[in-house]
Amino acid sequence: APVYEAIDLKKDYDGGQVQALRGVSFRVNAGEFVAITGPSGCGKSTLLQMLGALDKPDTGTLNYRDQSLPDLTDPPAYRAHEIGFIFQAFHLLPTYTAVENVQIPMFEGKLGTKARRDRAIELLTQVGLSHRIHHFPGKLSGGERQRVAIARSLANNPGVLLADEPTGNLDSKNAAQVLELLVKLHQEQRTTLIMVTHDMSIARMAERVLLMKDGLIVSDGNLDVEPNQL
Ligand code: ADP
Ligand code: ADP
């Protein structure tokens, strides 16, 4: 079964004045690296929010491994255990150190205090930040903050990473490091990576590019049928 299957998703805002998604269909298989790209306002973030169960479509089918995402009984559990979500603006807690931020998703789980801390240090080491464990976000560079956020997204070992313009706030050097890290996680751990970017040169790093325009997928780099025939 695919990891995600979307059939004819539609989403309006402002009482129908804005049609953010106008009938979006696609499948994502386990271990794929998919970029969702297209101009500002075409519906990329809206679509990613649905995959993250942060919002629901008005109509259409959206399944994660045969479960309907709009019908999940516990969306926070899905977000904490099945997926990692990476935001353009990092969303770290400023009064927590790096190692504390990474532990946040683990508080609901089974790990005790020491195991939780050890895992957070291991994750920070994996993203190249073993020397920044006790730093507060305000003392880190943008690239370092995003790598802390990526470590946090991996806390519960999710099979899927959803990233919304993960390099949008970074200079080119830090952006390259963050992209390299995401690709490495995808390749080494077979993580399914779905990344929203308006930047075509970044999108081309993916194995498959979904191009959106005005609330529709207008091309799919890995599809042998038209998107609307799925
Ligand atoms: P993208 O990520 O491609 O820039 P979005 O998904 O953010 O596009 O937005 C798609 C369209 O929906 C845009 O016209 C945007 O202004 C609108 N939109 C997105 N979120 C909201 C919202 N919460 N309320 C009203 N309009 C929204
Ligand atoms: P991105 O740059 O990642 O596409 P946006 O800046 O478009 O993100 O959106 C950031 C947040 O603002 C999202 O939660 C989105 O739903 C909301 N949003 C986007 N456009 C509008 C809008 N026109 N009205 C209200 N909320 C919006």
Side-chain angles (χ1 to χ4, degrees):
V3 177
Y4 289 109
E5 179 171 45
I7 305 170
D8 206 21
L9 296 183
K10 295 185 180 169
K11 178 73 176 179
D12 290 350
Y13 291 111
D14 295 340
Q17 288 186 62
V18 178
Q19 295 181 295
L21 299 178
R22 298 193 296 134
V24 164
S25 303
F26 61 95
R27 285 185 198 139
V28 175
N29 291 316
E32 279 196 280
F33 173 13
V34 181
I36 302 173
T37 192
S40 181
C42 69
K44 304 182 295 295
S45 290
T46 300
L47 180 57
L48 201 70
Q49 290 195 358
M50 314 247 152
L51 298 180
L54 294 163
D55 202 348
K56 293 181 185 188
D58 297 329
T59 61
T61 300
L62 180 57
N63 290 332
Y64 167 78
R65 299 187 186 282
D66 294 329
Q67 293 174 76
S68 168
L69 283 182
D71 298 325
L72 282 183
T73 51
D74 191 355
Y78 164 75
R79 289 196 293 269
H81 296 284
E82 304 294 328
I83 65 167
F85 208 107
I86 299 153
F87 303 89
Q88 176 172 347
F90 321 132
H91 291 195
L92 298 174
L93 296 183
T95 61
Y96 285 51
T97 63
V99 72
E100 290 166 349
N101 266 283
V102 174
Q103 288 175 68
I104 291 168
M106 296 185 246
F107 282 122
E108 302 281 312
K110 296 186 207 98
L111 294 182
T113 311
K114 176 153 193 317
R116 210 160 52 214
R117 205 184 125 78
D118 288 350
R119 167 111 181 113
I121 292 170
E122 181 190 311
L123 288 165
L124 284 168
T125 303
Q126 194 183 348
V127 301
L129 291 178
S130 56
H131 58 308
R132 294 285 187 265
I133 286 170
H134 299 298
H135 282 58
F136 288 94
K139 299 286 181 192
L140 297 172
S141 73
E144 289 172 337
R145 285 183 216 177
Q146 191 62 299
R147 286 188 280 151
V148 173
I150 292 169
R152 180 186 56 186
S153 79
L154 299 172
N156 294 323
N157 203 21
V160 176
L161 282 184
L162 304 177
D164 193 351
E165 301 278 5
T167 60
N169 279 342
L170 303 179
D171 61 34
S172 57
K173 179 164 158 276
N174 279 301
Q177 279 186 2
V178 162
L179 289 168
E180 197 180 308
L181 173 61
L182 290 172
V183 170
K184 186 181 88 164
L185 292 167
H186 157 69
Q187 287 176 343
E188 292 179 0
Q189 309 192 13
R190 308 239 342 111
T191 309
T192 306
L193 175 57
I194 303 179
M195 181 172 70
V196 161
T197 176
H198 68 278
D199 184 334
M200 259 300 188
S201 66
I202 293 176
R204 279 196 205 94
M205 295 175 62
E207 293 151 358
R208 175 177 169 200
V209 178
L210 299 182
L211 175 63
M212 295 186 70
K213 196 184 166 209
D214 295 335
L216 293 172
I217 293 175
V218 293
S219 99
D220 182 333
N222 186 36
L223 209 63
D224 41 23
V225 294
E226 290 299 306
N228 59 12
Q229 290 175 354
L230 264 184

